Structure formats: C-alpha cells, structure tokens
Amino acid sequence: MADRETRPTTVWSRPERGARGPAPERSRPQIAAAALALADAEGLAAVSMRALAQRLGTGPASLYRYVGSRDELLDLMADAVAGELDLSGATGGDWLDDLVGLALQSRDAHVRHPWLADLNDRRGEVLGPHAIDYLDHALGILAPAPGTAGQKLEAIGLLGGLAVLFARREAAATSTGDPSTGDPAARAAHLAAVAAEGRHPHLLAALTAAGAPPPADRDALFVRLLRRLLPAMLGQGEP
C-alpha cells in the first residue's frame, strides 16, 4: 500500500532524469516542442512515440528515458501550450478586463493548436506546472472580484469552455469545403425568411426586437459574452 501511495502519478511527479546513468541529450520541453510541431503539421493522431522519434532523429526506445508513455507525452504537450500564455502582467487593475484578456489569449492558443481541445477531452483534468500557474494567475486576477472561491473556479472553467467553443468555430469558418461555415449574412437572411413565414412567432418577435444583427466580429462577440456572463456568475450582475 505504501508503494502505491508514494508512486508518481504524473510525468511531473518523476524527476526528469535519474540519479544514475548518462546525462540526458534532450529535455522534456524540447520533446514537447517537437510533439507540438508534429501535431500542428499533421494532427493529433499523427503523434506517436515512433513518429516523434523520427522527427527528433532518434529511436523510439530512447524517448522512454524521458517520457513513460504516449499519455505522458500528451500531458507535456497540453502543458507546453499553457506555457505559451503570457502571465507576466500585474494583477489588481480591473479584474474583468484582465480576465477577458486572459480568455483571449486562451482562445488564440486553441486557434493556433486546433487539436488541443480534443486532447483535453481525452486526457481529463491533468494539470501540469504551467496550467497550475495559469489557474493561480486567474485566481489572482479574481481576488478583488465578488463571489466565493467556488464561484471563481467555475468562472475560470467557463472562460476556458468559451475559449474552446470560439476556437472551434473559427477553425470551422476557415476550413475549406465545409458547407456549415457559409456566409454569415446569408445565414441571417435565411433565418429571417423562415421567421417571416409565420410558423415561428417567438423567433419572429425576437428578430424584430433585435433589429439588424451587428457585423460578424467573433472577437467582439467573445468579449461581449464574457463581460456579461462572468460578473453574473460572481453575483455582481451585468456591468
């Protein structure tokens, strides 16, 4: 039982190199960076220990000196992306502005690495050092905000979920040959035409009251939703 309790549970629980043996030729950050480049170029399914070894010019067996399994490699990749976020900005200003800025960074990271959302869906909640730094930084931003600690953690979770959603929508909109992307103006005109047929009175009333939709600006919509939802989650109401 004692052995099970003290056994490392994540790749970061284990020293990067053993106390004995030759000095490592590579570091975990270098391996993670190569894996990120492979996933960006060919997709997450292309990331295997063998393919990564070929990219690094070594044998697959040598990678197991640094990473115990593909799952550990995926954990390193996710945390490496978290390390791309700039957390150097001082907190203590306008918490909502600061948190929205952090959300924009998170969304942009998912846009740069479109495979990241699928990776996180598979691996569950495995927080590496960079992800923990992010969580602590976000909580620091929220220190002057209203709400309980639980509400603040939920708000950070919402921030991440919206970042993933908007990144996926942006990826779909920029992909070629996807009929679901379409022209936003054409989609709006189609919806208005359907509502005008009279079989959907609530939709017609809502569209009539809303008037002409604003230009399709995903950044503006993302920020607008965050600025409405985050204060409401923390018990402050709409700013």
Side-chain angles (χ1 to χ4, degrees):
M1 180 65 70
D3 289 343
R4 181 178 301 174
E5 291 175 350
T6 58
R7 186 180 301 161
T9 57
T10 71
V11 63
W12 300 283
S13 304
R14 190 174 62 252
E16 187 163 355
R17 62 164 298 185
R20 299 180 180 180
E25 300 176 357
R26 297 178 176 85
S27 66
R28 286 175 182 164
Q30 290 172 335
I31 292 171
L36 257 65
L38 179 59
D40 288 344
E42 303 181 34
L44 187 62
V47 178
S48 66
M49 300 295 275
R50 180 176 299 277
L52 181 59
Q54 291 177 347
R55 193 177 188 93
L56 291 169
T58 188
S62 68
L63 289 183
Y64 288 98
R65 295 174 53 199
Y66 311 95
V67 182
S69 66
R70 183 176 185 268
D71 285 342
E72 287 191 353
L73 176 62
L74 297 180
D75 290 343
L76 289 175
M77 291 169 63
D79 198 60
V81 176
E84 295 178 358
L85 275 62
D86 181 9
L87 307 181
S88 62
T91 61
D94 185 303
W95 67 265
L96 185 54
D97 286 345
D98 291 344
L99 201 62
V100 168
L102 192 62
L104 287 167
Q105 283 199 66
S106 178
R107 186 211 55 187
D108 290 346
H110 280 85
V111 170
R112 288 193 303 272
H113 309 291
W115 45 266
L116 179 61
D118 290 337
L119 185 155
N120 286 332
D121 287 345
R122 296 181 190 179
R123 59 194 282 276
E125 297 294 330
V126 181
L127 297 183
H130 287 119
I132 293 173
D133 288 344
Y134 164 85
L135 179 59
D136 186 74
H137 182 75
L139 287 170
I141 289 175
L142 285 172
T148 66
Q151 288 173 325
K152 292 177 181 181
L153 288 170
E154 289 174 351
I156 294 169
L158 172 70
L159 180 154
L162 281 177
V164 171
L165 173 64
F166 273 74
R168 280 175 163 163
R169 291 184 63 183
E170 184 161 337
T174 56
S175 65
T176 58
D178 185 352
S180 66
T181 58
D183 177 19
R187 291 200 303 269
H190 170 70
L191 188 61
V194 170
E197 294 174 357
R199 293 183 294 108
H200 305 87
H202 302 295
L203 176 60
L204 177 60
L207 293 177
T208 302
D217 185 335
R218 289 186 178 84
D219 280 356
L221 178 58
F222 183 62
V223 169
R224 189 161 65 248
L225 287 176
L226 286 171
R227 295 187 70 86
R228 289 176 180 173
L229 293 173
L230 291 172
M233 288 190 69
L234 298 174
Q236 184 176 338
E238 184 173 333

